[in-house]
Amino acid sequence: MSNPLSDRILNMSTSATLAMAAKARELRAEGKDIIGLSLGEPDFNTPDFIKDAAIQAINDNYNGYTPVDGYQELKEAIINKFKRDNKLTYTLPQIVVSTGAKQSLANVASVMLNKGDEVILPCPYWVSYSDIVRLNDGVPVEVKTSIDTDFKMTPEQLEAAITPKTKMVWFSSPCNPSGSLYSQSELEALAEVLKKHSNIFVVSDEIYEHINYTDKPHASMASVDGMFDKTITVNGVSKAFAMTGWRIGYIGAPDWIARACNKMQGQITSGANCIAQRAVITALNADPSVVDYMIDEFKVRRDLVLDLLSKIDGFKTNTPEGAFYVFPDVSSFFGKTLRGKTINNATDFSLYLLEEALVATVTGDAFGNPNCIRLSYAASQNEIIEAIKRIKEVVN
């Protein structure tokens, strides 16, 4: 009997980050002391003033269905946030609130892609981009970058990747997994290429916007002259406000795209959680400086990770400018045998670290870069020190 499941699900990859987290949980259940550096989840608690707003919403009896595209008060808070932080002016019909930024991305792919449409993905890219594109009959087109250029796509690479079938470009800045940050001038250079092609649209994933260790302000593609009507800006509260489980993301987009996403979401999940939405109103209306204590600690951890990894032969690193990941090139280990195990690729190396060092990381293969692994430093300094000590012991 043939498999009754759809080709769609059979051809879909499992999220590598979630798969590694599941494997780590299994080993913990066996009594193994696993240190998890695989998940992209802040290890801070949601700030109390946000939790208080959620409790107030419960007491105020917010318990019914919400508008598909979000409460008006939340959309107004998002509009104010875009204006305050990004110098972008959106209207209510241009905002759609979803159950996490991942749903926002899925909505956009569903309403924008037809069979065979190509989507340019600078590598490395967030693990779910390529499967979301494929799920909607699109074709991911990977543009390779390297650690030597801080994993950034150049205008020349972008131009070379464009074909008559190109429909979209998707990227994140700060980037998951590399922590790379596109400056205003770098976005303007990419925009000069895109403005030659009226039929190409951009998804700018800015979920790590506030986790920025530079003196440069965050740059949004939609703010570049001529790009506002070609850009869908995706954001949310999960990373900067430590609200991963609250599941609220949103887009700012041309109104015809936003209306289409609203229509799509109305047939899939309808509106996002009512209590979470009320809490996010409070989060977004606050000055972003209220989470500076998290950013400051992440920077300390980044510097700690880079210092410790620099003392391990074979790890090649650059300095991430944002997010909370390092993405070292570990290709020097390929072809070597460590403790009787041959390392052929980044997946082998990541599994080796899990089994021998009891440290969970994620293979770069999942992000479109087979030479690297991703380590998250959303962990305590003591955990980071112990994890990298273990890694050093099993690779040297």
Side-chain angles (χ1 to χ4, degrees):
M1 178 181 176
S2 62
N3 195 321
L5 292 175
S6 69
D7 292 340
R8 183 181 300 106
I9 193 64
L10 293 174
N11 292 331
M12 185 190 299
S13 303
T14 299
S15 168
T17 52
L18 299 181
M20 182 58 80
K23 179 67 174 174
R25 284 195 298 270
E26 289 175 11
L27 292 175
R28 286 194 187 98
E30 295 172 6
K32 301 288 180 64
D33 177 24
I34 304 297
I35 298 177
L37 302 182
S38 60
L39 274 182
E41 182 170 36
D43 59 323
F44 296 94
N45 292 322
T46 303
D48 287 342
F49 77 97
I50 300 174
K51 293 189 287 188
D52 289 343
I55 293 168
Q56 186 61 50
I58 293 171
N59 290 333
D60 288 343
N61 294 314
Y62 280 95
N63 51 28
Y65 287 130
T66 62
V68 171
D69 54 349
Y71 285 126
Q72 179 171 326
E73 299 97 316
L74 176 52
K75 294 174 67 171
E76 289 171 346
I78 292 167
I79 288 170
N80 291 335
K81 173 260 176 291
F82 273 130
K83 187 172 295 185
R84 178 192 67 206
D85 300 340
N86 311 106
K87 306 300 186 287
L88 298 173
T89 301
Y90 288 104
T91 61
L92 287 171
Q94 294 177 304
I95 305 297
V96 179
V97 177
S98 300
T99 305
K102 185 180 284 191
Q103 184 181 21
S104 296
L105 291 165
N107 284 343
V108 171
S110 295
V111 305
M112 292 295 290
L113 297 178
N114 288 312
K115 189 174 182 62
D117 284 343
E118 293 179 352
V119 178
I120 294 174
L121 304 178
C123 299
Y125 48 78
W126 182 51
V127 63
S128 291
Y129 285 175
S130 59
D131 274 291
I132 290 174
V133 169
R134 289 191 184 96
L135 182 62
N136 290 280
D137 293 325
V139 179
V141 176
E142 298 183 352
V143 174
K144 303 298 182 183
T145 66
S146 76
I147 197 169
D148 298 314
T149 58
D150 285 331
F151 301 109
K152 295 180 186 179
M153 177 176 64
T154 66
E156 293 76 19
Q157 288 178 305
L158 174 59
E159 185 74 77
I162 292 173
T163 75
K165 293 184 178 180
T166 303
K167 182 69 171 290
M168 305 191 81
V169 178
W170 287 27
F171 74 99
S172 59
S173 178
C175 176
N176 176 3
S178 70
S180 302
L181 189 68
Y182 282 94
S183 67
Q184 185 73 24
S185 60
E186 288 169 332
L187 292 182
E188 289 171 354
L190 295 173
E192 287 305 308
V193 175
L194 293 169
K195 284 187 283 189
K196 301 175 189 175
H197 305 273
S198 61
N199 60 332
I200 298 178
F201 295 84
V202 176
V203 164
S204 180
D205 182 349
E206 303 179 14
I207 192 73
Y208 291 93
E209 170 188 4
H210 295 301
I211 307 177
N212 177 348
Y213 310 122
T214 74
D215 294 329
K216 299 178 292 187
H218 175 78
S220 294
M221 179 61 89
S223 71
V224 176
D225 185 50
M227 292 302 297
F228 185 81
D229 291 331
K230 294 168 65 69
T231 302
I232 301 99
T233 304
V234 179
N235 212 322
V237 293
S238 62
K239 310 302 182 180
F241 290 95
M243 297 178 70
T244 51
W246 297 70
R247 307 311 302 138
I248 298 291
Y250 55 86
I251 63 168
D255 56 1
W256 59 275
I257 295 177
R259 285 197 302 270
C261 289
N262 188 14
K263 179 181 179 181
M264 176 62 67
Q265 188 165 295
Q267 294 287 19
I268 305 298
T269 60
S270 296
N273 178 278
C274 57
I275 305 304
Q277 286 196 55
R278 304 310 300 185
V280 172
I281 294 170
T282 296
L284 292 183
N285 281 334
D287 189 287
S289 63
V290 297
V291 296
D292 280 354
Y293 67 95
M294 298 188 208
I295 315 312
D296 293 342
E297 175 61 18
F298 282 138
K299 186 176 185 297
V300 170
R301 296 175 187 178
R302 179 203 65 174
D303 295 342
L304 175 63
V305 170
L306 292 176
D307 178 59
L308 294 173
L309 288 179
S310 72
K311 298 171 183 175
I312 304 179
D313 293 338
F315 278 75
K316 181 179 180 180
T317 60
N318 64 331
T319 302
E321 294 184 318
F324 38 72
Y325 310 105
V326 290
F327 199 58
D329 186 314
V330 294
S331 58
S332 65
F333 294 101
F334 299 172
K336 293 183 178 180
T337 300
L338 302 174
R339 297 191 176 188
K341 297 181 180 180
T342 301
I343 308 299
N344 295 306
N345 48 49
T347 300
D348 287 348
F349 190 68
S350 188
L351 288 171
Y352 174 76
L353 295 183
L354 179 62
E355 294 167 356
E356 297 295 325
L358 303 183
V359 176
T361 62
V362 188
T363 172
D365 282 303
F367 304 98
N369 188 313
N371 290 330
C372 299
I373 63 170
R374 191 190 77 174
L375 292 83
S376 167
Y377 47 88
S380 72
Q381 292 184 42
N382 287 338
E383 287 178 308
I384 290 168
I385 291 168
E386 175 63 23
I388 298 180
K389 175 187 174 184
R390 294 183 189 180
I391 291 172
K392 186 174 183 178
E393 288 173 351
V394 302
V395 300
N396 285 353

